[in-house]
Amino acid sequence: MGESANASFDPQDFLAKVGRGKTISTYRKDQIVFAQGEVADTIFYIQRGRVKVVVLSDQGKEAVVGILEPGQFFGEGCLNGHSLRISTTTAMEECVITSIMKTAMLTALHSEPKFSELFMAYLLTRNSRIEEDLIDQLFNSSEKRLARLLLLLAHFGKEGSPKPIDIDVSQETLAEMIGTTRSRVSFFMNKFRKLGLISYNGKIEVHNSMLNAVLHDKPEIKRDEETNSA
């Protein structure tokens, strides 16, 4: 029996259950969900865990372009004419992911307004995040970009207290994501710790003082950036 439009349709229930054109899989840490260059005919939705998005250049250089969290879709480029994957996605921890065939996704989008609204909200939020990241790259110092990235990974701005960053994010990955070197990230991280903005206890813990430093652009951050970029 198909999943047709009805008043009781629940988008989250739709994404959480196996159905026509849908499967749910568990991925172990470091397992590839899809690889760059593979045929693109499926959209994915993260129920649990986080996924890293990496792009490989023609010269063989890798660049981390994003970290995806529960509640996010990925691989939706196939809906817009991309026949091949343009990136590689890898589980950063154990993940539960719903995969939806392109035909099933299009059917749901066309027949279920509630699902269409949820997917559109995701696209709008993602585009806003891309614009914010672009502005950061153009106008903010690498130190401030790192601070903002740590705040995002710690879920600042969401309901509840900030969470320790419990995924294995190396300094190399952080450097790639903010467009600087690993040595610069190491320098900034040590500085953040000395200033009491973060702490290490097996996991990176980001304190409220980090948010204040970013919002108010504390002078010591600015002075340090000017000194080290000279």
Side-chain angles (χ1 to χ4, degrees), residues 31-88:
Q31 184 176 354
I32 291 175
V33 181
F34 62 71
Q36 188 169 330
E38 289 182 353
V39 173
D41 58 4
T42 307
I43 298 88
F44 297 87
Y45 177 82
I46 305 173
Q47 292 191 40
R48 187 177 73 239
R50 296 185 185 182
V51 172
K52 178 174 66 175
V53 184
V54 175
V55 173
L56 181 67
S57 72
D58 293 337
Q59 292 74 35
K61 184 177 180 180
E62 288 188 348
V64 179
V65 296
I67 293 177
L68 307 176
E69 300 184 338
Q72 292 186 295
F73 293 88
F74 63 101
E76 70 275 8
C78 66
L79 298 174
N80 196 33
H82 290 172
S83 59
L84 300 177
R85 300 296 186 191
I86 61 174
S87 62
T88 296

Side-chain angles (χ1 to χ4, degrees), residues 82-127:
H82 290 172
S83 59
L84 300 177
R85 300 296 186 191
I86 61 174
S87 62
T88 296
T89 53
T90 307
M92 300 186 72
E93 56 195 352
E94 184 176 281
C95 296
V96 176
I97 298 175
T98 302
S99 60
I100 311 169
M101 294 299 295
K102 178 180 176 179
T103 52
M105 186 73 174
L106 290 172
T107 297
L109 290 172
H110 290 155
S111 63
E112 300 293 355
K114 290 182 181 179
F115 182 69
S116 182
E117 288 174 8
L118 180 146
F119 187 64
M120 183 61 68
Y122 154 75
L123 292 177
L124 292 172
T125 300
R126 189 196 64 174
N127 286 342

Side-chain angles (χ1 to χ4, degrees), residues 151 154-160 211:
L151 288 169
H155 295 268
F156 264 90
K158 297 186 178 181
E159 293 183 4
L211 182 62

